[in-house]
Amino acid sequence: MKAVWYEQNGPAEIMQYGEMPEPEPGPGEVRVRVVSSGVNPSDWKRRAGTTARIAFPRVIPHQDGAGVIDRVGAGVPESRVGERVWLFESQFGRPFGSAAEYTVQPSGHVVRMPDSVTFEQGACLGVPAMTAHRCLFADGPLEGKVVLVPGGAGAVGHYAVQEAKLAGATVIGTISSQHKADIATDAGADHTINYRTEDVVERVMDITGGEGVDHIVEVDFAANFPVTSEVLKSSGVVSIYAAGTGQQPAVPLQFRRSNTVVRNVLVYDMPEPAKDAAIADITAWLEAGALTHLVGPHFPLEQAIQAHRAVEGNAIGNVIVDVGGA
């Protein structure tokens, strides 16, 4: 099979493209013929060694993807063969992810996908949609609350806007351009604030009648803390899913209001019940046609280096590697 791999940590250029043996599923596993492979920031950071050192002699990268089950291992119903599926955590604790024509995965990490969802859309779901779900729903229902989503046009932010709206929240997104404002608005944001040209604290307090927000889905805790500390309500929640580029805020954290919750979210070690809840809700939303997907640049498998560079360069939308035909 055609695959992309690396055998040491380093820049994108360490990745190789070539032939590898086709894998066979073991007990409790399925084999997926991959059509689309999604690239996330965590993929290039793992490759670079900034978040984890290489733990296997050879790694096929990428956690997310979509394709068709073509073989099953012992203990998995034969009826799963032929299912259109999306994948999550394909390369977490395992050497071989979705940047290959075939990948073998635990059956529970391979989720049936409605026929209305394309493979490229399915490859957007794993890390971004499940991260957004955990950030939003780990601390109770959101109906009637106000949710602030910094980076409302980003991969996680785009799903967070939609999921919060589906839960009955009012959503404010911060963005850096009119194009990104349009993306966030199309996703369902009730208000957008350009943090480069507007006073975010002033706008948030104006929008909320001086009350502030109940919940923040945070992409850069350190850089945005001056805003967070002013706009978060008493008993509010800030869920942090990315470290950002700056130093961490000074400790102790000084919020304007009390009884705040600071939650650090990492999709890979979410509690299993939280993963199950995310999958159930995402499946229901997909079946109802309630989610849109921010599909970004496409690259063929042999150009995985360029795909990683695009993600490192903050490309808009989910970067997709086209692996095989549908």
Side-chain angles (χ1 to χ4, degrees):
M1 69 175 182
K2 299 293 186 185
V4 168
W5 67 85
Y6 58 88
E7 297 173 345
Q8 63 185 40
N9 293 118
E13 288 73 17
I14 66 169
M15 293 192 294
Q16 303 176 57
Y17 169 76
E19 290 282 348
M20 284 183 58
E22 292 182 5
E24 293 295 331
E29 296 179 330
V30 302
R31 190 174 80 171
V32 176
R33 178 172 58 81
V34 180
V35 177
S36 299
S37 179
V39 190
N40 291 285
S42 58
D43 293 315
W44 76 256
K45 291 176 182 178
R46 291 172 73 86
R47 182 214 74 228
T50 59
T51 57
R53 303 302 297 177
I54 189 169
F56 305 96
R58 174 176 287 185
V59 168
I60 295 175
H62 303 173
Q63 304 289 349
D64 296 346
V68 179
I69 296 175
D70 78 330
R71 293 188 187 180
V72 297
V76 179
E78 284 285 341
S79 60
R80 294 214 68 185
V81 173
E83 279 187 16
R84 302 172 73 257
V85 293
W86 60 275
L87 316 173
F88 70 95
E89 293 183 2
S90 297
Q91 200 267 301
F92 182 64
R94 303 171 66 86
F96 298 153
S98 67
E101 290 182 314
Y102 294 93
T103 186
V104 166
Q105 298 295 327
S107 179
H109 285 200
V110 180
V111 186
R112 186 168 189 142
M113 193 168 68
D115 291 343
S116 58
V117 180
T118 67
F119 292 108
E120 65 177 11
Q121 292 170 342
C124 296
L125 290 169
V127 170
M130 293 179 71
T131 297
H133 191 278
R134 179 64 174 168
C135 285
L136 288 166
F137 301 110
D139 295 281
L142 294 176
E143 186 171 4
K145 294 187 176 181
V146 180
V147 176
L148 175 64
V149 182
V156 174
H158 188 255
Y159 282 119
V161 168
Q162 296 179 77
E163 294 176 16
K165 285 297 295 179
L166 287 165
T170 297
V171 181
I172 304 170
T174 66
I175 43 77
S176 60
S177 69
Q178 185 57 50
H179 176 53
K180 291 182 177 180
D182 293 340
I183 291 172
T185 299
D186 290 345
D190 298 282
H191 310 274
T192 61
I193 303 170
N194 189 323
Y195 63 83
R196 290 183 173 168
T197 62
E198 300 178 88
D199 185 314
V200 177
V201 173
E202 183 178 303
R203 281 291 317 282
V204 167
M205 300 310 283
D206 180 59
I207 290 167
T208 62
E211 293 293 318
V213 303
D214 301 280
H215 203 110
I216 300 174
V217 178
E218 184 55 79
V219 67
D220 193 341
F221 188 42
N224 294 333
F225 187 71
V227 171
T228 298
S229 62
E230 291 294 318
V231 304
L232 191 65
K233 283 183 179 180
S234 178
S235 300
V237 176
V238 54
S239 291
I240 308 155
Y241 67 89
T245 56
Q247 297 297 315
Q248 295 299 308
V251 177
L253 302 176
Q254 297 295 322
F255 291 90
R256 185 177 180 185
R257 296 172 177 85
S258 60
N259 296 303
T260 52
V261 174
V262 178
R263 177 176 292 279
N264 288 298
V265 172
L266 179 64
V267 67
Y268 302 115
D269 64 356
M270 284 165 51
E272 290 301 317
K275 293 178 184 179
D276 294 341
I279 291 166
D281 283 344
I282 290 166
T283 298
W285 292 327
L286 292 175
E287 289 175 344
L291 288 180
T292 61
H293 313 275
L294 193 59
V295 178
H298 283 244
F299 298 86
L301 183 59
E302 59 267 28
Q303 293 182 12
I305 290 173
Q306 290 89 329
H308 275 228
R309 286 176 181 160
V311 178
E312 291 183 57
N314 298 315
I316 295 176
N318 296 82
V319 173
I320 302 297
V321 172
D322 298 317
V323 179

